[in-house]
Amino acid sequence: MSSRTRDRTNEIGLEFTDYKGQPTTLCQGCGHNSISNQIVQIAFELNVRPHEIIKLSGIGCSSKSPAYFLGMSHGFNALHGRMPSVGTGALLANHHLKAMGVSGDGDTGSIGMGQFKHICRRNLRMVYIVENNGVYGLTKGQFSATADEGLELKYAGYNEFPPIDLCQEAIVAGCGFVARSFSGDPTQVRELMKAALSHGGTAVLDIISPCVAFNNVDHSTKSYTYGKKHEVPLHDIGYVPKREEIMIDEYGPGEARSVELHDGSHIILRKLESDYDPTDRLGALARLEEALETRELVTGLIYFNDERPSLAEAAGLKDSLPALAHLPDEKLRPSRKKLDEVMARFL
Amino acid sequence: MSSRTRDRTNEIGLEFTDYKGQPTTLCQGCGHNSISNQIVQIAFELNVRPHEIIKLSGIGCSSKSPAYFLGMSHGFNALHGRMPSVGTGALLANHHLKAMGVSGDGDTGSIGMGQFKHICRRNLRMVYIVENNGVYGLTKGQFSATADEGLELKYAGYNEFPPIDLCQEAIVAGCGFVARSFSGDPTQVRELMKAALSHGGTAVLDIISPCVAFNNVDHSTKSYTYGKKHEVPLHDIGYVPKREEIMIDEYGPGEARSVELHDGSHIILRKLESDYDPTDRLGALARLEEALETRELVTGLIYFNDERPSLAEAAGLKDSLPALAHLPDEKLRPSRKKLDEVMARFL
Amino acid sequence: MGVPQPTTGVAPDAGRQQEQRVNDFAIVVATANGTGSQTSNLTILRALFKMGIPVNGKNIFPSNIQGLPTWYHIRVSKDGYVARRETSEVLVAFNQATVNQDVQELPSGGICLYNDDWRSMPERDDIVMYGIPVNEFLREVGARGKFRDRFTNMIYVGALAQLIGIELEAIEEALNYHFGGRQKIVEPNMEVIQLAYDWAAENLEKRDPFRVERMDETEGLFLITGNEAAALGAIFGGMTLTAWYPITPSTSVVDALTAHLPALRNDEEGNPTYVVVQAEDELAAIGMVVGAGWAGARAMTATSGPGISLMAEFAGLAYFAEIPAVIWDIQRVGPSTGLPTRTSQGDVTFAYHLGHGDTKNILLFPANPKECFEFGGTAFDLAEELQTLVLVLSDLDLGMNNWMTEPFDYPEEPLKRGKVLSADQVDRNWGRYKDVDGTGVGYRTLPGNEHPLSAYFTRGTGHDERAVYSEDPDKWVDNMARILRKFETARQIVPGPVVDEAGAAIGIIAYGTTEPAIEEARDRLAAEGVKTDFMRLRALPINDEVRNFVERHDRTYVVEMNRDGQMHGILQLEMPDIATKLLSLAYLDGMPLAARWIAESLHAMEKEITG
Amino acid sequence: MGVPQPTTGVAPDAGRQQEQRVNDFAIVVATANGTGSQTSNLTILRALFKMGIPVNGKNIFPSNIQGLPTWYHIRVSKDGYVARRETSEVLVAFNQATVNQDVQELPSGGICLYNDDWRSMPERDDIVMYGIPVNEFLREVGARGKFRDRFTNMIYVGALAQLIGIELEAIEEALNYHFGGRQKIVEPNMEVIQLAYDWAAENLEKRDPFRVERMDETEGLFLITGNEAAALGAIFGGMTLTAWYPITPSTSVVDALTAHLPALRNDEEGNPTYVVVQAEDELAAIGMVVGAGWAGARAMTATSGPGISLMAEFAGLAYFAEIPAVIWDIQRVGPSTGLPTRTSQGDVTFAYHLGHGDTKNILLFPANPKECFEFGGTAFDLAEELQTLVLVLSDLDLGMNNWMTEPFDYPEEPLKRGKVLSADQVDRNWGRYKDVDGTGVGYRTLPGNEHPLSAYFTRGTGHDERAVYSEDPDKWVDNMARILRKFETARQIVPGPVVDEAGAAIGIIAYGTTEPAIEEARDRLAAEGVKTDFMRLRALPINDEVRNFVERHDRTYVVEMNRDGQMHGILQLEMPDIATKLLSLAYLDGMPLAARWIAESLHAMEKEITG
Ligand SMILES: Cc1ncc(C[n+]2csc(CCOP(=O)(O)OP(=O)(O)O)c2C)c(N)n1
Ligand SMILES: Cc1ncc(C[n+]2csc(CCOP(=O)(O)OP(=O)(O)O)c2C)c(N)n1
Ligand code: SF4
Ligand code: SF4
Ligand SMILES: [Mg+2]
Ligand SMILES: [Mg+2]
């Protein structure tokens, strides 16, 4: 980002700094900080209105980060592993809000596994970022369920168990937007985040985000060095906002594929891996499986499917309706006549 | 089973009735009862020593059933969704025990999802039966997470959400023995159970077990009628106990495949579906995916892989060691000298 | 202290049987679960009610779907007593599995209707036996399959009606009600009933004193379960989100919500103004409620014991981050899974302190359907006014059984949405957790508020008045002191106690569904010369009235349905200087308390004290 | 009641500074988190200890991994006081972010070592400032990268040592201890220290009275954290399974287990006689403990507030199904996530009643590492003897800070494994839940028992004496009454209170880590003419001694670190007739209680009472 970006205001008259949060209290070099920065930037670039966003998280270093971006948006740092349920309540209470959720691999893959699976199944419309570092950062470095099998770390010791693949988990649970990225690849992170914000259901971003304090040894798949060396992007990604639709044609056909998102914007995927089709559920699972074996960090939009209604839609909360939270008393209390009618039925 | 079976004693001198439990209190015709009966029978046939088995369950109609089989085995009807953790503790306390666990689709797929995934990941050696009926039987018929999308039931109403496939979930979580069956196919249920008992890690049996009270409409994939019509067995299954190894040769090669299990017994799979390979993880996921789309009830040993150590093995609890629960005091309390040594280090 | 145990099986009033017993006895119907006998039993209950006779029905059912014994108790009371009677004089013995015990429990002089096809029946010469040839009837009406069970149950309705004098018109009305007027179902049932009715007229010779007679005591009243009333209360109280996980006996709260919401709360275009989500477990259910409460919805869940345990962590968050949330706890017997289909008041202490650390929650105690309806809205008002968790402690007896009630009052007061700032009300001075008026309650903003200064970050960690993270010791102390101030504010605005006082030396304090038994016990005691005053608590924390009541009386008994005298303990802590004036009468066996137990226990303790 | 608030910042004893202050002051080291200053601070602590001077160190750290302010308090006390001092006379100001506040909090006459490279320093003329040219040193030793931080911290060690007289040999010993004798690490650190030491000798002119001098008061003692002591206690107490989920401040219990187990508990062939499982969350952790306890293991978990909330449902199961289980609750500040790195005694009430329904759990309260070690085994003994859940309530201050301790006593008593029947002891009369001896505790069998009658079905639902499912009301009552009997049995076998009594009119009751502050406060009060007796509780439920103590005294103050006076309430309920003799002194701001607060608060209340 050029220093010019930082100075100018965006189309809704906000400055870059308006999208910042409190100064971070995370470690210097922590991947999570980089991700927070990308959120600030895309919000600025997309002319996001801060009050239309809520920030959600569970507990952990990662889950602290919503304090460090979008200071003008309401935020809720909930309980360990329980961001999904809190998000479900909040987004049903006000289905016009967009949610930017940040969780950790411990928060999502261990204590939060159940809620994570069920939010995917219900297709709650929110961006669900997992800042995945293979350890519990905030409690000082124990292995999480995404740690490499056989990894040995100074504090955590030796890991006996195979890693859980959160992208596979999301896909199997019915999630329609599943991406993986690397905090060391900010460009890709940004494009994926933008697309995720435009998606009409749960959008899971599993972002490898190295913990420099506890899991940054070179052979760990969650380290910077490893990520830098082994990242395999499936495609080049470009996000095109709705109002710039016209530009889509600029992307030559053939090697690039354009996918329309819920809000009318598009994501352009320029294939790097020739036969990868992100709309093929099994193919996606297979590619993840392969990457697990080869220890590659495949990144990109791994699976996409926007056929299922979001939870709010399934609940009948149409876009045109006011938020439940803002309904006036008249809508909340049936008339006296109705009460009489109901009681009459009991007589 | 012939009436003769019921009379005679097995090789360890127990009668068939010795393997029974209390009379069932479940509904007449409930699939769960049929499964209990198969457990009684295989225990009898396999000459199981009742005290070497523990019965485990969560909460639900299904979870009540351990009271109705193996009355001479210790049992623990735990909390809703928490059978896996209780089982983990019990089987680490005494790693010589074998566990027969019975859960429901609510117990496993909803409240128990997290523990279910993590028991698979840790590969706790136990038989984990899900008596899957797509509803919460005991609370009178609400949809569970395995209910068909779009299903309409008298009490539960209309189901908006796609079903969770517990076999896929188990596979993705790292489970090495994943089977599906149908309570209306007792022969297959029995052979799979026997093999599961011989497996060296978590063995998940997802058994469709119709709830005659709340989910038995013909078009529900969890009903009897549907199961009878749409069951697609992947193979004929035969279990061969260790001491009868010699018989294996009787199965002609080519169309049959023999897999050796942890305890030296074998399972013989005579292919019905020509190219199905239960050791191919992706193939298994794919076949399940296909079945989900075609609404087929594919049954059989869907995935098998016994390469990972069980949790007890990973914890260093070798078969040759006595159970932790039975260690004598001398093993449990280090000597006075050791205490002095430890304290000396602090000086 | 020697609290006498309830006796079962022996009628305290056996002996004085031979006078006519009109509208003053109890009926028990013994059947097997899952046979549809609920319909028959409710029909009897409703028919009696339609005859103008005060009634109450209590279903004593097993934790099972089909086949285990279940008992339905109907109390018929010209005096309007609706508490549980331990003894029933009229037994409908239609479950062979329990008939021996059932007959044994009949008081001398009692009557027993039974299925005459059974080979053997227990013998007693001090009761009256009426056998009914069930199979013959079934053959006659040609019932097959599941209809056998259903019709069998209608047979005892007809025979009983004849025997004790229930009017057939009342029964037909009741059936009409039950089946929503669908004649196709009503008619064949009425046919069976009529058949049995006529048969009984011809074949059974009345040899007992139990009879019902039309009265005029139920005019304007109706029958409803507490859970359905609670659901209606929530609907008229502006509920916008319910998240829940099935658990007996709370499930029917949500069933009733789902049944009534479309008609009552879809807007003109048929769009919902609410959402009901079945969560994957109780942790998720309460999480959704807290998320929704934070975002401005009136959100609730309904659960029971095990669910309360699982909600503890979120309860603490709601308390500490000050988020409105409502939990209906339809209490069943704990600890643990306990007796899932039996009633209790056993969660009081645990709910009061739900969540680790220093936590004090607001509790409401409805005693009847009317209060369930009322508290359906009050709970939201309090949660939003005080920005905290409110737990409504109902119980299985109230929630799942049918109670007579006066019509519900339409809520006149507007919804109390508490201190919420709109975009044009926010300014630089605002701080989320500032106590600007001494109530302890700060102003909040909702997500979506367009004012650039309206955003704040909600957390369960230490924070200052502006919701900024803080580990500062003094800020922690100040914040927690302010939260405690809210509890003091609550004392003044929660529903106060209901008092029935006439200068007696002895007081009784209770809460929730023990009320009818206590009222009956007081009458009994008064008849025996022991006068009592009565205060029924409707909420915690209490206000000064309670202390004054205790001070005014020599002794006050706290009556409740749990083992440990939980409310008794809470009250003692509220008034340690007069703690010994509070005596505990606590008992829990899963059955609703009976007047006899209360009266006898209190009497016994009085004797011990006064010598 | 007007409990005075702790004052911060002003030294109560400022003024009388100019005499020599030998071995009687406090040091505070202000640094940033994650810079490795822990090593330096522990080195100072240990060096002082090695000089024979009574010390105590308290780490006041943020909930963060790197960069936020942290303070390490070292109290040096010739009189052996180890409680927290609110004021420290010696400040090592090595965190620029907090230096203003840190300097401001120094008492008049205090001293400040600071980094002389900083541009500006707050000015005060009533303190002594010693600037150290840190960058110059770092250049000199050529420190780069992360070594800069580490060496910076060693610089203040050296300078401080010179200034107040810590012996270099003691420091070297301490470093040797810390780095396990690895000279490669010790040497470069010693080099820096020596450099700073020498520099200070030449460049800093001592202008203050604070000095340490060798004593002989720590001979035979050692320094250890409560959590490490707890782990050792569990290891010598026969722990066979630990299942846990990371949470501050309990994590180091398990870290210590993992560190010590292989050497102490692998058998001759190197096979483990234990297993430690990191669970996926606290629900699973306690589930594993309960499963293991059922199967015969000595199983435990360690957690803190939020974990306790999540364990509520299983706690109720362990209580009701009567399964031995041990939870170490290393208390931090709640409600909710609260202050994760601050200490409290806030979970008492919640833990006591953990689980819905009528539940009463056994609680142990260790006050020092020696008791942590002892209770490591006692908790298992009690859990197995009483077949129930035992919670050990330690706290962050005890668990994570280093305390001087006498050597631990080797446990002489054999493990108490409780009533377990082997295969040859089972017979037809046996019933799992039969009370055969009036203690309430039945005999259990373990899975794997070969006797054909030994099997039973464990459940959280109602059951009879033979563990058969039952909804029978009387059976429920009997069973719950028996379980309550176990609680009465517990009174006699849990660790009794420790009493220090000499006929004073005023009593103090406390528990856990408030003890040192209370002892110091009592000395202060005695000096002011207020004599007190002291009883320290070590467990709930209490025995008669406690009541007798309260009876013997005019008034008894219950001192504790929570907002609501939780133990005070519990004790009042145990003795309602004398409830008003119990007064509450409760305060929680996350810092360990200080003697000053206790003494002043008690004094103030005494004045109010005695007029
Ligand atoms: C119920 C509960 N259990 C445990 C904790 C302690 N805890 C705080 S953060 C954390 C793990 C965080 O790991 P992860 O989600 O991977 O986040 P990271 O710090 O690695 O970014 C744990 C276990 C807690 N706060 N609450
Ligand atoms: C914590 C908790 N929540 C809810 C319940 C109520 N409950 C009992 S069984 C059950 C569902 C059982 O469904 P499933 O596991 O599918 O078993 P099924 O009865 O269908 O065999 C529920 C929700 C409970 N016992 N505990
Ligand atoms: S500990 Fe790890 S995850 Fe936490 S802030 Fe530091 S680098 Fe990031
Ligand atoms: S309700 Fe359904 S699951 Fe339960 S016992 Fe009956 S048929 Fe089986
Ligand atoms: Mg992590
Ligand atoms: Mg089910």
Side-chain angles (χ1 to χ4, degrees), chain A residues 345 347, chain C residues 39 43 46-47 50 168-187 189-190 193:
Chain A
R345 266 190 273 145
L347 290 170
Chain C
T39 307
T43 301
R46 281 221 181 74
K50 302 255 175 206
L168 277 190
E169 302 71 51
I171 287 182
E172 185 156 6
E173 267 188 82
L175 273 180
N176 260 315
Y177 176 91
H178 193 91
F179 292 116
R182 278 163 295 166
Q183 287 309 311
K184 260 209 170 133
I185 314 176
V186 174
E187 268 168 28
N189 280 295
M190 266 317 283
I193 291 169

Side-chain angles (χ1 to χ4, degrees), chain D residues 14 26 111 114 127 131 141 155 188 245 251 263 369 388 391 409 477 563:
Chain D
I111 72 174
Y114 65 98
I127 59 171
V141 298
I155 294 170
Y245 188 70
T251 301
T388 196
L391 293 113
D409 297 329
V477 170
R563 183 191 66 181

Side-chain angles (χ1 to χ4, degrees), chain B residues 28-334:
Chain B
Q28 264 187 21
C30 175
H32 306 353
N33 286 330
S34 157
I35 297 170
S36 297
N37 292 341
Q38 307 325 315
I39 294 176
V40 173
Q41 189 166 343
I42 63 134
F44 174 78
E45 289 176 9
L46 292 176
N47 305 303
V48 161
R49 290 193 285 190
H51 70 273
E52 292 180 351
I53 293 269
I54 54 175
K55 306 175 293 181
L56 301 170
S57 63
I59 299 281
C61 292
S62 33
S63 293
K64 282 182 175 187
S65 61
Y68 316 137
F69 57 79
L70 308 192
M72 282 162 62
S73 299
H74 275 75
F76 196 152
N77 180 201
L79 296 178
H80 196 27
R82 316 298 176 205
M83 172 174 86
S85 59
V86 170
T88 303
L91 293 167
L92 288 174
N94 189 337
H95 64 291
H96 298 302
L97 298 171
K98 291 187 169 191
M100 189 60 107
V102 180
S103 175
D105 43 322
D107 199 61
T108 290
S110 298
I111 192 169
M113 177 60 91
Q115 297 208 347
F116 174 63
K117 301 293 284 193
H118 283 275
I119 205 184
C120 290
R121 177 168 173 263
R122 295 199 187 92
N123 204 22
L124 179 74
R125 183 151 71 96
M126 77 175 282
V127 180
Y128 190 121
I129 296 171
V130 184
E131 298 184 342
N132 188 347
N133 55 17
V135 286
Y136 295 166
L138 191 53
T139 51
K140 303 208 154 184
Q142 299 82 8
F143 288 122
S144 80
T146 66
D148 306 333
E149 187 168 0
L151 181 63
E152 196 147 5
L153 291 178
K154 193 171 163 201
Y155 171 78
Y158 180 83
N159 184 29
E160 315 265 9
F161 303 105
I164 273 186
D165 184 316
L166 292 173
C167 289
Q168 284 194 341
E169 294 295 346
I171 293 172
V172 168
C175 184
F177 188 112
V178 180
R180 175 165 289 157
S181 195
F182 172 43
S183 70
D185 184 352
T187 318
Q188 194 198 52
V189 166
R190 282 199 301 273
E191 299 308 287
L192 284 170
M193 275 181 182
K194 289 179 188 170
L197 263 177
S198 292
H199 181 59
T202 309
V204 170
L205 302 184
D206 177 19
I207 307 181
I208 306 306
S209 175
C211 170
V212 294
F214 302 110
N215 186 8
N216 204 21
V217 295
D218 290 358
H219 57 284
S220 162
T221 60
K222 307 291 186 296
S223 69
Y224 272 117
T225 322
Y226 196 95
K228 287 276 179 211
K229 268 201 202 147
H230 299 273
E231 187 186 358
V232 180
L234 294 171
H235 26 237
D236 268 345
I237 299 176
Y239 171 88
V240 184
K242 183 169 168 52
R243 65 208 147 73
E244 291 169 25
E245 260 162 313
I246 200 130
M247 282 169 53
I248 293 170
D249 290 340
E250 289 175 26
Y251 292 81
E255 83 280 15
R257 166 174 191 158
S258 152
V259 180
E260 181 167 351
L261 299 166
H262 182 76
D263 64 1
S265 57
H266 284 76
I267 185 161
I268 313 290
L269 305 172
R270 197 185 298 271
K271 278 183 196 166
L272 292 179
E273 209 157 274
S274 60
D275 55 354
Y276 193 75
D277 172 8
T279 63
D280 170 10
R281 210 168 111 124
L282 263 176
L285 288 172
R287 187 65 189 85
L288 289 167
E289 192 72 12
E290 190 191 322
L292 215 59
E293 269 159 39
T294 56
R295 291 175 50 103
E296 283 169 327
L297 173 53
V298 282
T299 61
L301 181 58
I302 291 180
Y303 179 59
F304 181 80
N305 172 352
D306 64 355
E307 280 163 25
R308 284 179 50 213
S310 72
L311 174 60
E313 284 162 357
L317 301 174
K318 299 181 199 150
D319 281 354
S320 57
L321 296 171
L324 296 178
H326 296 143
L327 292 175
D329 284 18
E330 313 84 74
K331 295 253 181 188
L332 295 180
R333 173 171 291 159

Side-chain angles (χ1 to χ4, degrees), chain A residues 25-28 59 61 64 78-80 82 106 110-111 136-140 142-143 155 213-214, chain D residues 33 63-68 244-248 251 255 277-283 310 336-337:
Chain A
T25 62
L26 302 181
C27 301
Q28 265 188 21
I59 298 281
C61 292
K64 281 182 175 187
L79 297 178
H80 196 28
R82 316 298 176 204
S110 297
I111 192 168
Y136 295 166
L138 191 54
T139 51
K140 304 210 154 181
Q142 300 82 9
F143 288 122
Y155 170 78
F214 302 110
Chain D
N33 206 21
S63 176
N64 156 279
I65 303 298
Q66 189 197 86
L68 289 191
W244 71 298
Y245 188 70
I247 187 165
T248 309
T251 301
D255 288 346
V277 193
Q278 183 183 314
E280 62 271 32
D281 61 20
E282 288 87 349
L283 291 115
L310 290 175
S336 200
T337 311

Side-chain angles (χ1 to χ4, degrees), chain C residues 71-292:
Chain C
W71 293 269
Y72 195 77
H73 292 258
I74 297 174
R75 177 159 187 186
V76 184
S77 169
K78 63 179 176 7
D79 305 315
Y81 293 134
V82 294
R84 167 173 162 254
R85 278 278 280 323
E86 287 154 311
T87 326
S88 298
E89 295 86 350
V90 177
L91 164 68
V92 178
F94 265 51
N95 184 358
Q96 199 165 8
T98 60
V99 64
N100 285 329
Q101 187 202 336
D102 294 337
V103 167
Q104 197 199 309
E105 285 178 4
L106 264 186
S108 181
I111 71 173
C112 170
L113 270 79
Y114 66 98
N115 183 337
D116 208 12
D117 305 326
W118 297 338
R119 298 252 178 93
S120 76
M121 274 292 288
E123 307 213 344
R124 270 182 67 174
D125 50 18
D126 61 341
I127 60 173
V128 186
M129 303 289 285
Y130 300 106
I132 310 175
V134 171
N135 282 338
E136 214 178 294
F137 274 106
L138 292 175
R139 258 195 308 278
E140 198 151 327
V141 298
R144 240 169 271 243
K146 66 180 177 184
F147 289 103
R148 286 184 65 91
D149 275 350
R150 302 213 183 142
F151 285 145
T152 301
N153 294 326
M154 289 301 156
I155 294 171
Y156 68 69
V157 175
L160 183 70
Q162 175 61 258
L163 261 183
I164 67 172
I166 308 175
E167 300 167 4
L168 277 190
E169 302 71 51
I171 287 182
E172 185 156 6
E173 267 188 82
L175 273 180
N176 260 315
Y177 176 91
H178 193 91
F179 292 116
R182 278 163 295 166
Q183 287 309 311
K184 260 209 170 133
I185 314 176
V186 174
E187 268 168 28
N189 280 295
M190 266 317 283
E191 226 168 89
V192 181
I193 291 169
Q194 181 82 49
L195 215 63
Y197 189 84
D198 295 343
W199 177 89
E202 272 176 49
N203 297 282
L204 299 182
E205 181 203 348
K206 176 97 175 159
R207 285 168 290 148
D208 68 77
F210 303 102
R211 280 202 312 107
V212 295
E213 256 174 27
R214 194 167 263 283
M215 294 177 77
D216 193 17
E217 294 295 324
T218 65
E219 186 62 39
L221 308 183
F222 59 96
L223 285 170
I224 191 170
T225 66
N227 282 353
E228 186 155 11
L232 288 170
I235 291 172
F236 282 83
M239 180 278 291
T240 40
L241 181 137
T242 297
W244 72 298
Y245 188 69
I247 188 165
T248 310
S250 71
T251 301
S252 55
V253 173
V254 184
D255 288 346
L257 280 174
T258 327
H260 287 293
L261 275 165
L264 293 172
R265 283 280 299 279
N266 283 7
D267 69 11
E268 309 75 43
E269 283 89 46
N271 295 310
T273 61
Y274 56 84
V275 59
V276 178
V277 193
Q278 183 183 314
E280 63 272 31
D281 61 20
E282 288 87 348
L283 290 116
I286 184 70
M288 293 176 193
V289 168
V290 167

Side-chain angles (χ1 to χ4, degrees), chain D residues 228-428:
Chain D
E228 187 156 10
L232 288 170
I235 290 171
F236 282 83
M239 181 279 291
T240 40
L241 180 138
T242 297
W244 71 298
Y245 188 70
I247 187 165
T248 309
S250 71
T251 301
S252 55
V253 173
V254 183
D255 288 346
L257 280 174
T258 327
H260 287 292
L261 275 165
L264 293 172
R265 284 280 300 278
N266 284 7
D267 69 10
E268 308 76 43
E269 283 88 46
N271 294 311
T273 61
Y274 56 84
V275 59
V276 177
V277 193
Q278 183 183 314
E280 62 271 32
D281 61 20
E282 288 87 349
L283 291 115
I286 183 70
M288 292 177 195
V289 168
V290 167
W294 172 73
R298 300 202 125 184
M300 63 174 266
T301 186
T303 189
S304 192
I308 296 295
S309 282
L310 290 175
M311 292 181 184
E313 196 191 11
F314 262 113
L317 177 65
Y319 177 80
F320 181 72
E322 304 182 50
I323 296 168
V326 171
I327 299 175
W328 279 78
D329 175 9
I330 315 300
Q331 294 167 98
R332 65 190 215 183
V333 176
S336 200
T337 311
L339 301 176
T341 59
R342 298 298 155 85
T343 198
S344 101
Q345 298 181 318
D347 294 344
V348 181
T349 303
F350 189 61
Y352 195 46
H353 294 291
L354 196 63
H356 61 277
D358 290 296
T359 312
K360 291 191 180 193
N361 299 308
I362 315 272
L363 310 187
L364 299 182
F365 303 101
N368 50 54
K370 200 170 175 184
E371 271 179 359
C372 286
F373 179 80
E374 184 186 332
F375 292 177
T378 312
F380 288 127
D381 286 349
L382 290 169
E384 290 195 326
E385 278 187 284
L386 295 164
Q387 299 174 6
T388 196
L389 172 65
V390 173
L391 293 113
V392 189
L393 268 60
S394 175
D395 63 28
L396 181 141
D397 182 23
L398 172 56
M400 292 188 70
N401 286 319
N402 277 281
W403 299 73
M404 298 187 298
T405 181
E406 307 255 325
F408 302 153
D409 297 329
Y410 187 77
E412 302 291 344
E413 300 264 314
L415 304 178
K416 296 182 185 146
R417 304 298 311 252
K419 292 176 173 163
V420 178
L421 295 181
S422 62
D424 51 5
Q425 294 169 316
V426 177
D427 66 28
R428 286 210 172 267

